[in-house]
Each structure stands twice: as C-alpha cells, then as structure tokens.
C-alpha cells in the first residue's frame, strides 16, 4: 500500500501498519509527540491499522485535532479520578472543547476544595500510566455492559445510536468508558493540567432533564503553556461583563423579576441611550431609512400569516389558549410582520423602492433558563431592526449597503477586527423547517455568497443556521470565554411577500412581488453593551461613557468654582459631575480612576484665579493645566468624532 503524507512524500509498505508504526517509521520524535492520525481527512486513533492506499497526516498537540485527542484523553483521566473518589457518581459525557475539556456527572455540586482533591487523584492516575485499550461490542452486549456498571446515561446514549453504529469503548486501568475516540497511546504526555471550574448543566442541554455537575479543565504538554493559559483566564475574569457590569453598576438582575430580564441601571441606560440615538440618527439622516413604531404584541393571526406560529411558536410568549380563548395574543419575537403592514399602508410603485424601514424594537424570546447569561442571552431585548422592501434588481446593491452599514458601525465601536462572517444556510435534510424549495434556497444562498465574496471578507458556511424564510449573513463575535454569539444579521427573503400580499406597481402598471431584506445595523443593544464591557474592560471610549468628566475641588473652598466648571461642561453637552465630598484630593483621584473615567478636572486656587483646570486623563495621566475653553473644545471634538483614544501611559505608572 502507498501512504501519501502531508508534505507530498509517499511511504510504501507490504503489510498493514498502524498509524503509530508509520509515525515511528517517519521519525521516533514524531511518534513520541503524536496524538492521533488523520486518514483521508478523518481523525483516527493511533491504534488504527491501515491496509490500503490513503493520505495520512500525523497529528501532534500543535494541530487542533491533535489537541482535541489529547484533551479528550485528559477528560477520561478526570472521569476515572471522580469514580475513584465518588463511586456513586454517574457518567454522562466528557468531550474536548476548544480550550480544554469537560465532563458531566450525576453527582452533588463540588467546591474548589473538591476540585483540588480530584486533581490530586488525576495525578495519581497519570503516574500509574495504565494501558489504554480500545474494544468494540455489539449493541445488546454494550447495553448490558453499561447496565451492569449502573451507568444509565451511557445506556441512553447507546440506545440512541443508529442501528449500524460502531459501539466502541476505551479501557484505562480500572476505568472503562463508552467512547468513539481517538485517545492517546498512554497518559505520560499529559504533563500539565488544571480543573478550572465546576457548574450545573442539564443533561443533553434540556432544562426538562436533570441538572448534572459539569467539571471544566484544560491540559497541555508543557507546564509553562498551562501557566500562561491560567494567567489569561484570570485576566479575562476581570473583563467578564457579567461581573464587571454589575461592579460598575451598569445593570443588575433580581430573582423576583426573573431570569433573562436584566435591569439597566442609570449608567448602563445612559450608554444604551447614547448608542440608540447614534444609530437612529445614522440610519435616518445618512442611510435613507424611515422610522416606525409598532406594537409589542399581536394576535396569533399575524404570526400565522408570517409563518412564525408554525416555525417559532415554542420560542414565543403566548398570552391565552387557542382552545379556550376567543383571541390569543403573543409578544413579538421580531418586528418584520408589523413593518410589512406599514409598507402596505399605501400603494407603492417601482419608483418608491427601495423602501427602507427601521425601528428600535423591543423583542421577546422564550429562551431556555439554561441558556441565559448576563446581557448576552436574555428574554427581553432591544435591537436596531430594519426591513428593506426592494425590487429584485436592487438586491445586490442593498445587501451590500446593509453589510457596509454594519461594518461602519463595527468600526466606530472599535470591534471591526473582533468579528467573523458566516453564510448561514438551510439544512437540506430537514426541508420541512423552511419555506421554499431547493431552487429557492440555492439561488438565494448563491446571492448572499456573491455579496460576501465581492465584499472581500473571509467567511465560513454553516448548514442549518438560516432563518426559516431565507439565508443570511451572520456577523459573529466571541465573549471572553470563547463562546460565539451572533451580533449582526442580514437576511434575504424572497418568499414572504406572497404571504402578506405585498406588491409594487412596475413600469407597465402590473403588480410585482418585492424581495425583503431583514437586517440589523448594530444588533442587540444589550448584547452590544456586554461586548463593549468585555472589549474595553469597562474603559469605554469617551463618547460612550455615562460619566465623561468628574470635577475634583481640592477643598471645600473651591466648591463654587467646581460647580461653575461643571455647569459650563454641561452647557456643552458633556456628561459631568462634581465630587464635593470632604475627602483628600488623592482619595478622590483614586476613586475616579477606579470608576474608569476618561477625565478628571482638578481645581484649586490657581485654577480658580486663572479660569483654568488641571486635566488628568485615563489616557495620558497628568496632562497639565489648560484653559477650560480649550479642554471643552478638545473633548467635544473627541466626542463628536467618536475617537477611540489609546492609553499613552500605563495605568500603574499614572500618579
């Protein structure tokens, strides 16, 4: 057989060879570092025996797929340690993930001390370095095997496998687990690992199932790499919007109000207001939108016309019972059907299109309780929503402009380099979920793909991520923990006009169906606020800060002058306050720095006499004494241009 390697070279063998043996034949060093193999694009165990021509890539920890095999083996070490310390714990699932691994157990919640004890036991397992063996069983034997071990979750997983599935197990000393692999050949290479946290997780992600205990960990081949990762995790905790946003008094949550229903406190509400006013003025004055304001709820009849009742009802808040009540209402999960009737209010001709409608829309989605988190996943939220009613010949230009508007917003916010682009397509294996036929989906997906290619942005394609009525461009971003969320979406819908009998009159006086573009310019305001908290660690650009300047009188003698300065700042639209507390000036400065304010204006005898202020900034530290008018002119320009000013002096060096 001929084995074609990654570098294009070939190896020829006269008998079957395992992936590991081929790695040894290439290099003993490669074999020592090998984690798995990739045969014709499929990841396989190093134990896999090859007996025919193929392409082979030996995967090490430097390869993403190699890391997954390495860390999946570490998850089995975790499970083995847990079963030793907690024999009654039941095994669920334990996959490798992007930056580590986790394992779910049916057991009581764990403390940090418990995790430390499990780590200690894991070290014992690795030191023992038990042999790792893979074996397969027929379905009935596999079920009986796991029933004998009293592992009900594993039994359920086996029963749900396809009839023709290969059911494999890995034995690791006194521990055996249902697993497809691949795994390392032994445990000695797992030289550095850490259990990072523990949390609750519903079995199979379903809130109706039992809450399990999930243990997260990470593993590396080198201690230095682990230490670097742990240091990074500590740093990102300081940026976690769910913690920092509460500390900065931007938002809070209250149990009696409910999950996924955050309260925006005055500072957070001010940031949202600033963003909202900017987007509304931008859309209305520069991008040709007209603004609507539509109800927060509607009769079920509306959602039946739009298709949401059939395709999205489980995600809606329904008010009433169709079997009992004469009229059933539902809170709106999106604004599109409402805006269609704004369009239909008067007859439109081809000259009236594109007709671009925008709305600051408060929406409601019945998210699962296990999915909700801070401001990123909530049950009530507000978005910069818009719908463009267009002629088919306008689709390319209008889609491109929607993408340009979104990219402009990202650039102003300073996050343009933190996003990825995705073409979200239908799932051809589940056609009943969607409107339209194969030809409809292929043509609309091609149109979206063309826009992305012409715009020059790199993108990925994902099946099953489209809306039920059409494909979309999703602009994605990750939070500090690496979880990806959709921030902005642009969707092409060539089918819905028929449902609502929307039309325009063409050049010949005939009725024609328009296309619809569903889009957001900046996306969800709450989610964007969470993103910005984490991006800037709470140190927002000046134009977004809820408090842009704090005036600090050196003593009570200069309180009146401080108030005069504050009034002049406010007259110029600057968000300012005065700290008139009877505290030392050094204490006031430290307090202002902890509040992450852009500017402090210190005033005393000299400043009062000369009509100046002593400027201290988050960016450059002590900027010296300036005439008040000069400072006002500079900060107003910074706010007007939405400048993202960089820190010139590290915070620890600012006095």
């Amino acid at each position: 057989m001929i084995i074609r390697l990654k570098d294009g070279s070939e190896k020829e063998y006269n008998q079957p060879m395992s992936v590991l043996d081929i790695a040894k034949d290439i290099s003993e060093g490669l074999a020592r570092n090998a984690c798995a193999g990739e045969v014709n694009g499929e990841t396989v165990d190093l134990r896999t025996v090859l007996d025919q021509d193929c392409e082979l890539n030996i995967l090490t920890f430097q390869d993403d797929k190699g890391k997954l095999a390495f860390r999946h083996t570490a998850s089995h070490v975790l499970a083995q340690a847990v079963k030793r310390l907690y024999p009654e714990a039941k095994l669920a699932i334990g996959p490798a993930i992007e930056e580590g691994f986790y394992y779910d157990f049916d057991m009581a919640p764990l403390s940090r001390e418990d995790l430390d004890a499990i780590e200690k036991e894991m070290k014992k397992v690795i030191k023992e370095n038990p042999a790792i063996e893979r074996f397969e069983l027929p379905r009935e034997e596999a079920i009986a095997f796991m029933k004998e071990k009293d592992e009900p979750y594993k039994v359920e997983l086996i029963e749900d496998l396809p009839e023709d599935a290969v059911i494999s197990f890995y034995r690791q000393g006194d521990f055996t687990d249902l697993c497809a692999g691949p795994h390392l050949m032994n445990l000695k290479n797992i030289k550095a690992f850490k259990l990072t946290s523990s949390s609750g997780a519903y079995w199979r992600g379903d809130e109706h199932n039992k809450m399990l205990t999930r243990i997260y960990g990470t593993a590396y081949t080198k201690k230095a790499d682990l230490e670097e990762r742990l240091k990074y995790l500590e740093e990102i905790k300081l940026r976690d919007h769910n913690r920092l946003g509460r500390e900065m008094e931007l938002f809070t949550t209250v149990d009696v109000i409910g999950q996924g229903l955050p309260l925006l406190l005055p500072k957070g509400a001010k940031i949202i207001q600033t963003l909202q006013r900017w987007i509304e003025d931008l859309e209305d004055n520069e991008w040709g939108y007209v603004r609507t304001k539509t109800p927060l709820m509607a009769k079920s009849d509306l959602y039946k016309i739009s298709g949401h009742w059939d395709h999205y009802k489980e995600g809606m808040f329904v008010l009433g019972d169709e079997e009992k009540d004469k009229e059933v209402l539902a809170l709106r999960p999106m604004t599109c059907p409402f805006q269609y009737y704004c369009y239909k209010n008067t007859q439109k001709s081809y000259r009236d299109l594109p007709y671009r409608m925008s709305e600051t829309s408060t929406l409601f989605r019945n998210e699962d309780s296990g999915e909700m988190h801070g401001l990123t996943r909530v049950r009530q939220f507000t978005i910069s929503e818009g719908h463009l009613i267009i002629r088919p010949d306008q689709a390319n230009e209008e889609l491109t402009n929607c993408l340009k508007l979104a990219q402009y917003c990202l650039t102003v916010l300073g996050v343009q380099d933190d996003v990825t682009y995705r073409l979200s397509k239908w799932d051809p294996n589940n056609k009943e979920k969607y409107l339209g036929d194969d030809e409809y989906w292929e043509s609309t997906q091609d149109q979206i793909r063309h826009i992305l290619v012409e715009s020059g942005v790199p993108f990925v394609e994902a099946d099953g991520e489209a809306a039920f009525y059409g494909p979309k461009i999703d602009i994605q971003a990750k939070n500090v923990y690496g979880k990806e969320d959709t921030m902005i979406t642009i969707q092409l819908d060539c089918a819905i006009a028929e449902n609502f009998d929307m039309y325009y009159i063409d050049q010949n006086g005939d009725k024609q169906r328009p296309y619809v573009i569903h889009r957001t310019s900046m996306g969800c305001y709450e989610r964007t606020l969470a993103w910005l908290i984490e991006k800037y660690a709470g140190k927002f650009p000046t134009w977004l800060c809820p408090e842009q300047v704090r005036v600090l009188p050196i003593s009570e003698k200069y309180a009146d002058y401080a108030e005069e300065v504050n009034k002049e700042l406010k007259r110029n639209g600057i968000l300012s306050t005065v700290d008139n507390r009877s505290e030392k000036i050094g204490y006031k400065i430290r307090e202002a720095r902890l509040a992450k304010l852009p500017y402090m204006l210190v005033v005393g005898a000299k400043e009062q006499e000369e009509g100046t202020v002593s400027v201290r900034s988050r960016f450059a530290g002590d900027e010296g004494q300036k005439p008040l008018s000069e400072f006002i002119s500079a900060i107003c320009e910074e706010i007007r241009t939405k400048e993202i000013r960089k820190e010139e002096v590290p915070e620890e060096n600012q006095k």
Side-chain angles (χ1 to χ4, degrees):
M1 62 179 176
I2 296 175
I3 306 297
R4 289 176 294 278
L5 302 176
K6 184 180 179 181
D7 62 3
S9 62
E10 295 182 348
K11 289 278 188 178
E12 187 171 351
Y13 301 100
N14 296 321
Q15 72 283 335
M17 297 276 284
S18 72
V19 174
L20 180 62
D21 287 337
I22 295 172
K24 289 178 179 177
D25 187 45
I26 297 169
S27 159
E28 285 292 337
L30 178 62
R32 282 195 300 272
N33 293 314
C35 297
E38 188 175 30
V39 177
N40 296 332
E42 180 183 354
T43 307
V44 300
D45 204 285
L46 291 170
R47 300 164 182 79
T48 302
V49 175
L50 307 181
D51 58 7
Q52 57 186 334
D53 295 356
C54 64
E55 294 182 357
L56 173 65
N57 181 21
I58 306 298
L59 301 171
T60 71
F61 191 78
Q62 303 308 311
D63 302 294
D64 289 342
K65 292 179 179 179
K67 284 187 177 72
L68 291 177
F70 183 95
R71 287 168 172 159
H72 186 49
T73 307
S75 79
H76 276 223
V77 175
L78 163 62
Q80 185 172 2
V82 168
K83 289 293 283 186
R84 285 183 176 183
L85 297 176
Y86 304 90
E88 299 305 312
K90 306 303 177 190
L91 302 170
I93 58 172
I97 53 179
E98 187 174 353
E99 293 295 344
F101 58 88
Y102 69 79
Y103 210 113
D104 290 346
F105 303 92
D106 188 349
M107 63 187 300
L110 299 169
S111 66
R112 181 65 248 180
E113 289 73 21
D114 295 328
L115 296 183
D116 292 341
I118 295 170
E119 278 185 16
K120 188 175 180 181
E121 191 64 32
M122 289 174 69
K123 290 177 181 177
K124 290 181 182 178
V125 172
I126 292 171
K127 187 175 181 180
E128 293 167 12
N129 194 24
I132 301 175
E133 305 169 73
R134 182 185 185 277
F135 64 93
E136 298 174 7
L137 290 176
R139 176 182 294 272
E140 294 307 317
E141 288 185 33
I143 291 173
F145 182 64
M146 278 301 170
K147 281 184 176 179
E148 183 182 348
K149 287 184 170 293
D150 193 18
E151 296 290 358
Y153 299 100
K154 299 295 183 180
V155 171
E156 181 179 330
L157 290 172
I158 296 170
E159 291 175 339
D160 287 349
L161 289 172
E163 287 295 327
D164 59 349
V166 174
I167 302 173
S168 60
F169 297 81
Y170 279 81
R171 182 182 292 115
Q172 189 172 283
D174 58 6
F175 175 76
T176 303
D177 200 357
L178 171 73
C179 184
H183 278 260
L184 301 179
M185 295 301 293
N186 59 64
L187 305 181
K188 63 182 180 181
N189 286 336
I190 305 177
K191 293 182 168 62
F193 65 90
K194 183 71 178 177
L195 300 183
T196 52
S197 64
S198 177
S199 67
Y202 292 112
W203 169 234
R204 292 191 156 181
D206 187 338
E207 65 177 324
H208 300 103
N209 290 337
K210 187 169 185 179
M211 176 72 79
L212 306 178
T213 294
R214 175 171 293 179
I215 303 175
Y216 285 98
T218 191
Y220 290 84
T221 57
K222 299 176 183 176
K223 186 177 179 181
D225 292 339
L226 173 65
E227 290 175 349
E228 184 178 340
R229 175 63 183 172
L230 295 178
K231 181 181 178 181
Y232 171 75
L233 290 176
E234 288 301 315
E235 289 174 352
I236 65 174
K237 284 180 184 177
L238 302 177
R239 291 177 177 264
D240 181 352
H241 89 274
N242 211 11
R243 182 192 67 81
L244 187 54
R246 296 169 195 271
E247 285 182 4
M248 295 182 67
E249 298 181 6
L250 300 176
F251 75 95
T252 190
T253 52
V254 181
D255 287 344
V256 295
I257 293 175
Q259 257 191 311
L261 298 169
L263 300 175
L264 287 171
L265 301 174
K267 293 177 183 178
K270 174 57 70 174
I271 297 174
I272 295 290
Q273 181 190 58
T274 301
L275 288 168
Q276 182 178 323
R277 288 176 173 175
W278 166 53
I279 290 294
E280 289 180 352
D281 288 345
L282 182 68
E283 291 175 337
D284 299 355
N285 299 334
E286 299 181 36
W287 290 81
Y289 285 80
V290 293
R291 190 151 297 278
T292 65
K293 187 172 177 60
T294 56
L296 300 181
M297 67 181 77
K299 295 194 297 182
S300 59
D301 305 49
L302 178 70
Y303 305 115
K304 289 174 182 176
I305 296 171
S306 68
H308 290 106
W309 202 253
D310 291 332
H311 294 275
Y312 204 80
K313 183 181 176 183
E314 70 280 358
M316 298 168 63
F317 289 102
V318 178
L319 311 175
D321 188 322
E322 286 188 290
E323 295 182 3
K324 298 177 182 178
D325 301 318
K326 184 177 180 181
E327 187 174 84
V328 175
L329 299 169
L331 298 177
R332 65 181 186 187
M334 58 280 296
T335 311
C336 41
F338 298 85
Q339 287 197 324
Y340 298 155
Y341 283 99
C342 293
Y343 171 82
K344 283 166 60 71
N345 186 57
T346 58
Q347 182 171 279
K348 307 292 192 299
S349 83
Y350 69 97
R351 294 187 184 91
D352 297 316
L353 304 188
Y355 190 73
R356 308 180 187 97
M357 294 173 286
S358 187
E359 183 165 333
T360 302
S361 304
T362 298
L363 305 177
F364 305 86
R365 306 257 173 105
N366 192 9
E367 299 280 4
D368 291 339
S369 60
E371 291 291 316
M372 288 180 288
H373 174 71
L375 296 177
T376 59
R377 185 76 66 172
V378 292
R379 285 177 167 159
Q380 176 185 311
F381 56 94
T382 303
I383 67 172
S384 56
E385 193 167 16
H387 296 90
L388 293 76
I389 316 300
I390 63 173
R391 302 191 310 264
D393 64 284
Q394 297 170 325
N396 282 357
E397 181 179 0
E398 291 301 316
L399 283 167
T400 300
N401 285 338
C402 288
L403 181 57
K404 286 180 178 178
L405 172 57
Q407 291 173 322
Y408 173 77
C409 293
L410 294 171
T411 300
V412 172
L413 293 173
V415 294
Q416 70 276 12
D417 296 327
D418 303 329
V419 300
T420 57
Y421 295 81
R422 183 178 75 192
L423 166 52
S424 295
K425 304 187 295 184
W426 77 326
D427 181 357
N429 297 316
N430 291 286
K431 297 179 182 181
E432 69 280 357
K433 293 170 53 180
Y434 304 93
L435 300 178
D437 56 17
D438 290 35
E439 183 180 354
Y440 168 79
W441 281 93
E442 289 305 317
S443 63
T444 52
Q445 288 171 176
D446 281 346
Q447 201 157 9
I448 294 285
R449 187 180 293 110
H450 173 76
I451 297 302
L452 288 166
V453 170
E454 287 295 305
S455 299
V457 296
F459 65 96
V460 297
E461 301 190 12
D463 289 338
E465 296 292 341
F468 68 84
Y469 45 75
K472 53 182 178 165
I473 299 170
D474 283 327
I475 301 179
Q476 308 286 107
K478 292 181 179 179
N479 67 12
V480 290
Y481 296 106
K483 183 181 182 300
E484 189 173 78
D485 285 303
T486 299
M487 308 308 297
I488 297 173
T489 186
I490 301 164
Q491 307 169 11
L492 177 61
D493 183 349
C494 307
I496 203 68
E498 184 78 26
N499 295 33
F500 285 89
D501 191 27
M502 288 192 289
Y503 64 87
Y504 64 93
I505 304 301
D506 69 10
Q507 297 94 319
N508 301 317
D510 297 325
K511 290 183 178 180
Q512 300 293 343
R513 295 295 184 205
Y515 288 176
V516 176
I517 297 174
H518 310 245
R519 51 99 275 184
T520 54
S521 52
M522 189 193 66
C524 169
Y525 286 97
E526 290 84 355
R527 187 173 287 180
T528 298
L529 176 56
W531 191 14
L532 295 173
I533 292 169
E534 296 187 349
K535 166 72 176 180
Y536 294 107
K539 297 179 181 180
F540 304 106
T542 301
W543 73 278
L544 277 177
C545 285
E547 183 183 358
Q548 294 160 337
V549 179
R550 187 176 295 178
V551 186
L552 309 177
I554 289 176
S555 70
E556 293 180 6
K557 290 190 295 182
Y558 309 107
D560 289 343
Y561 179 61
E563 289 294 346
E564 288 178 25
V565 169
N566 190 43
K567 287 178 182 178
E568 189 61 25
L569 292 168
K570 287 182 176 296
R571 272 195 291 270
N572 284 274
I574 300 163
L575 301 175
S576 61
T577 61
V578 179
D579 186 347
N580 269 326
R581 294 176 299 168
S582 299
E583 300 284 356
K584 293 182 178 179
I585 190 63
Y587 180 82
K588 292 181 181 181
I589 290 172
R590 283 193 298 275
E591 289 277 290
R593 283 181 56 200
L594 288 172
K596 306 182 189 301
L597 301 183
Y599 294 98
M600 298 164 265
L601 301 183
V602 179
V603 296
K606 187 175 182 182
E607 289 81 11
Q608 178 173 296
E609 180 181 340
E610 298 178 359
T612 61
V613 290
S614 289
V615 181
R616 299 184 65 86
S617 77
R618 197 179 65 207
F619 317 104
D622 188 351
E623 296 191 15
Q625 200 175 71
K626 298 179 182 179
L628 178 58
S629 59
E630 180 183 322
F631 172 77
I632 289 175
S633 177
I635 191 174
C636 284
E637 180 67 7
E638 183 181 338
I639 293 168
R640 184 190 68 79
T641 60
K642 299 177 175 57
E643 178 186 353
I644 301 176
R645 192 176 173 191
K646 305 296 184 183
E647 291 189 15
E648 302 164 17
V649 179
E651 184 175 343
E652 60 271 18
N653 294 337
Q654 294 185 20
K655 303 297 183 182

